[in-house]
Amino acid sequence: MAQRPVILTGFHFTKTTLAAFSENYEIAGHMDKPDPALVPRAAAADVQAIVSTGSVGLSDALMAALPRLSLFCCYGTGYERVDLAAARKRNIMVTHGADANAPDVAEMAFGVLLASTRRIVRADKMIRRGDWTKRIPNRFGAIAGMTGGKLGILGLGAIGMELVKRAKGFDLEIGYCNRNKRSDVDFAYFPNVMALATWADYLIVCLRSDASNRHIINAEVLKALGPRGHLVNISRGWAVDEAALAEALRTNVIEGAALDVFDEEPYEGTELLALDNLVMTPHFGGGTEHAQRRMTSLVRQNLDAHFAGKPVVSPVPELRDMAANPAGRLR
């Protein structure tokens, strides 16, 4: 019987997901960071693929430490911390989850947007503290209500389009900012994030974050969003300047915000913790059973195709040309 391909994991997958990977592949170990020192010594010479996330990433140093590595599978959409230039140079294919979790992330975006705009978390805490002793209107300040408001979508891709479906139920006016104007929608198009933020009441960040848009949400954008504005980030943490956001929330430059993603995860900072006009969740927008099944299946399809010497199913866009020619990649 031929030896099974050897893989490493860089994410704490469920038992069900690990079992799915183990059907055809040997899992040699786990690492939380793309650090060569974390690779199990006995496995370094044999590892052929890594299944991880874009927020953990893949460094050139780690690639150099794994002489047989030929595939890196991102479990999820993002791949912002993967060194794509090094991967291309070393002929290592990189895949991602593409649109597998888009409906679930969009669902989460509306959940935390509602939590922020309607002060749901703050109200829950108030009751638990025993502070609900009188019926007082506007206890948390004036609440506009989302119906009829202006929703700005930064990145009208698969997740953005799922947001559109859900926004229609709230009678929200929709505007968006993309690198290019889409020909298949008639929503208001804004050529840059400043213009979108100036127009919007609610700004949802769902672009595919990479080095070119790090901290695209900065102090100037937050000021443009304005004192009744709410920000939601369900893309990648480094799209938002967290220090600027904390200051904007402390000084009421914007009314509220919700983050499902952070610059460093798990979040170990302190400046965001005391802000009661900020809703925080631990990066689980795609953490539904449906999304996990789809993402696990897509990783398996990519692994199976790769080790059969075929083009992978969902290469990252920057490496699609490499995907079309898999010959000689396995080692």
Side-chain angles (χ1 to χ4, degrees), residues 162-177:
E162 292 290 338
L163 282 170
V164 167
K165 294 180 186 178
R166 290 150 180 81
K168 291 179 179 179
F170 290 94
D171 294 326
L172 286 162
E173 187 178 350
I174 297 167
Y176 74 100
C177 175

Side-chain angles (χ1 to χ4, degrees), residues 24 47 62 108 115 128 132 136 148 150 173 197 233 237 253 262 268 301 309 325 330:
N24 292 338
V47 171
L62 181 57
M108 185 69 182
R128 294 177 190 278
W132 191 25
I136 302 174
K150 297 176 179 177
E173 187 178 350
N233 186 16
V253 169
F262 299 84
E268 296 179 350
Q301 291 175 57
N325 182 25
L330 293 176

